[in-house]
Amino acid sequence: MLIIAILVAWKMRVLLLHAERFSYTPTKKAVSQADEEAGPHSVENALVVFTTVEDGDDEEIVRKASQDIAEHAAKVKADIIVVYPYAHLSSNLAPLSEARQVLSELAKSLENLGLKVHKAPFGWYKAFDIKVHGHPLAELSRSYSATERMPPLMETTRDFEQKLYNDYLQRFGLTLGGKATRMSDKWRSALEDVAMELRTCDGETATVFTKDITAEKIDYCTEYLLEGVAQPIRAFFIERGIPTTLDKLKSVIGEEGLVVNEKHVWLQGKQFKFLVGLSLSGDKTLAFMNTILAGMIAMNIEKMQSSQYIPMLPIKYSVVQAYIAINNPVSSEYASLVASKVGKKLKRVVVDDSDSKLAEKLRRAGMLWAPYVIVVGKREEESRAVSIRRRADGTTKVVPVDELEEQLY
């Protein structure tokens, strides 16, 4: 059995300011889960810790953060530490109840280290005034990560693994290298279409798995697909996580074989299991577009083994959407005309004008699960038409070339 896993990291973000003096005044309750009302407060020679709690922050992160903050307080010789809730250092915020608890645990952890600590009230708008020292350590930003091993991205039986890799993924331009698994540039827009379908683009962030297996969050609305993949492990089809909803994920995959629990979303059959997403707070899901595509291919393979099933991906995610088989002799002008009309409706098109026999070209189209196979021969050119074969229903019909675009959807 093949098992491939990766690590994912969560972060707490802080801004450390060594203040000659610092004061604040709560002005108005901002959230229903706010701390009890408190009055103004002022301190001198304080290390003010503006703290943003991210979704997933836990005890390990609190421990790392408190130790580092304590060490920094000793370096700058601060008399007191102020833990100040500050939700402006990240867009991946923890739920209110969790953020409130983590901030309290951070303050308590610092007190347990023998430090004098004051925690500003959570959930209030506050006016504050600060005078920061001018030495080199007076202004620092920090992020604290706790690394968690995710479950395997994929599990397969040995026989199914060989069939999946050797017989199918390579023909779709999906190759398994020594350090990473990538999709060839030729068919990369299939992944882009999966990503575009999943993303909600509401200002959230996506998780990028970097070379040292840590996670960085960036704005996925402006840059949702990256070249880099997790290394040096054999990270199976992981490039980006797309923040989305479970309903959107179901619209891409369908509900067959989809298993959802509190933390993970799986696509599984009898011989394989793919991790296609992580369950986040609420209805949010971090979806892995690469395992989604590979999982849909695996689902088709398994169905094919047990019945006379014709494998096929949804056309918007098919790595080859149309296969144009040129049955020579056909003029280059007519072949180009047909290709241009198909290209206006579909992104991923193969034009096979090789010297191979038509039967061989049709076999190649079938191996790529092309939803449309368009045959252009001498007879079609003379009648200004094409022959369209639809994989979904197995039908074939001849249509005028001027009506070709209307037949593709």
Side-chain angles (χ1 to χ4, degrees):
M1 175 180 287
L2 177 66
I3 299 178
I4 298 174
I6 66 171
L7 304 178
V8 63
W10 310 101
K11 292 189 175 182
M12 172 188 288
R13 301 178 187 273
V14 301
L15 178 63
L16 303 171
L17 299 180
H18 184 203
E20 184 176 332
R21 62 176 180 268
F22 175 72
S23 62
Y24 69 82
T25 302
T27 58
K28 183 181 179 182
K29 185 180 290 189
V31 297
S32 60
Q33 300 180 42
D35 289 341
E36 293 182 3
E37 186 173 355
H41 192 84
S42 63
V43 292
E44 294 183 354
N45 190 29
L47 180 63
V48 184
V49 184
F50 289 87
T51 308
T52 297
V53 181
E54 290 195 333
D55 194 12
D57 286 350
D58 57 16
E59 293 179 1
E60 182 182 351
I61 288 182
V62 169
R63 178 182 57 80
K64 287 184 177 182
S66 60
Q67 289 176 347
D68 182 68
I69 293 168
E71 291 176 5
H72 189 65
K75 288 179 182 179
V76 300
K77 296 181 172 56
D79 295 329
I80 186 171
I81 294 175
V82 177
V83 176
Y84 193 91
Y86 194 70
H88 307 294
L89 301 177
S90 172
S91 59
N92 184 36
L93 300 178
L96 292 175
S97 59
E98 294 180 15
R100 182 182 181 186
Q101 180 179 348
V102 169
L103 287 163
S104 296
E105 291 175 354
L106 177 61
K108 184 177 180 180
S109 180
L110 288 165
E111 289 175 344
N112 291 339
L113 293 175
L115 299 167
K116 185 178 180 180
V117 180
H118 172 78
K119 186 177 79 68
F122 174 84
W124 286 80
Y125 295 114
K126 297 180 283 290
F128 69 81
D129 183 64
I130 187 169
K131 182 178 180 181
V132 179
H133 286 285
H135 59 76
L137 297 179
E139 302 176 47
L140 294 177
S141 63
R142 289 278 196 270
S143 61
Y144 306 103
S145 300
T147 304
E148 171 188 350
R149 180 167 291 278
M150 286 170 57
L153 290 173
M154 63 165 290
E155 298 181 36
T156 65
T157 62
R158 179 63 61 181
D159 290 343
F160 193 81
E161 170 199 345
Q162 295 300 319
K163 181 175 287 293
L164 177 65
Y165 288 162
N166 299 336
D167 297 347
Y168 289 93
L169 296 189
Q170 290 186 20
R171 75 174 68 163
F172 294 127
L174 301 164
T175 56
L176 196 65
K179 291 186 176 181
T181 302
R182 292 176 179 271
M183 191 167 195
S184 67
D185 291 339
K186 189 175 183 179
W187 308 124
R188 195 168 187 80
S189 63
L191 292 184
E192 294 176 359
D193 285 346
V194 173
M196 289 294 290
E197 190 73 14
L198 288 170
R199 71 190 190 128
T200 53
C201 204
D202 57 2
E204 295 186 37
T205 56
T207 297
V208 181
F209 296 92
T210 59
K211 291 183 179 179
D212 60 355
I213 320 301
T214 61
E216 298 291 341
K217 292 180 172 61
I218 67 171
D219 179 4
Y220 78 99
C221 293
T222 58
E223 186 180 8
Y224 61 89
L225 192 66
L226 294 185
E227 293 293 332
V229 295
Q231 296 184 45
I233 59 174
R234 279 171 98 198
F236 185 79
F237 290 106
I238 280 293
E239 292 185 3
R240 282 293 300 277
I242 300 295
T244 187
T245 64
L246 183 59
D247 285 343
K248 273 185 168 284
L249 184 57
K250 288 179 179 179
S251 72
V252 172
I253 300 178
E255 297 197 33
E256 183 180 5
L258 203 63
V259 178
V260 183
N261 60 31
E262 291 182 357
K263 292 186 176 181
H264 309 112
V265 184
W266 303 91
L267 181 61
Q268 65 183 57
K270 295 179 180 179
Q271 304 169 81
F272 68 89
K273 185 178 180 180
F274 288 85
L275 180 64
V276 295
L278 298 179
S279 299
L280 304 178
S281 59
D283 65 343
K284 295 178 182 176
T285 300
L286 186 68
F288 302 145
M289 58 192 175
N290 296 343
T291 47
I292 288 170
L293 187 60
M296 289 193 290
I297 292 173
M299 184 69 76
N300 274 272
I301 296 171
E302 192 168 84
K303 287 181 180 180
M304 212 172 25
Q305 291 177 329
S306 60
S307 66
Q308 296 298 315
Y309 178 80
I310 298 177
M312 185 175 175
L313 296 174
I315 189 167
K316 66 173 66 174
Y317 316 129
S318 293
V319 291
V320 177
Q321 295 173 316
Y323 195 102
I324 302 175
I326 306 298
N327 189 21
N328 289 310
V330 175
S331 70
S332 59
E333 291 79 11
Y334 193 67
S336 296
L337 173 64
V338 173
S340 67
K341 287 185 175 294
V342 176
K344 290 179 181 179
K345 294 295 291 286
L346 304 173
K347 292 182 181 179
R348 296 176 291 279
V349 180
V350 169
V351 179
D352 188 345
D353 59 355
S354 68
D355 293 333
S356 301
K357 294 182 178 179
L358 180 60
E360 172 61 19
K361 295 179 180 182
L362 297 181
R363 187 187 71 82
R364 293 171 188 163
M367 291 182 66
L368 292 171
W369 304 354
Y372 295 105
V373 180
I374 299 168
V375 177
V376 182
K378 182 179 179 180
R379 182 172 56 187
E380 284 80 13
E381 182 174 11
E382 289 175 347
S383 60
R384 303 292 291 177
V386 296
S387 174
I388 301 180
R389 301 188 181 191
R390 301 181 191 278
R391 187 174 182 84
D393 56 16
T395 60
T396 301
K397 68 177 180 178
V398 176
V399 299
V401 69
D402 290 338
E403 299 177 13
L404 176 55
E405 294 176 51
E406 300 172 10
Q407 302 296 319
L408 306 175
Y409 49 85

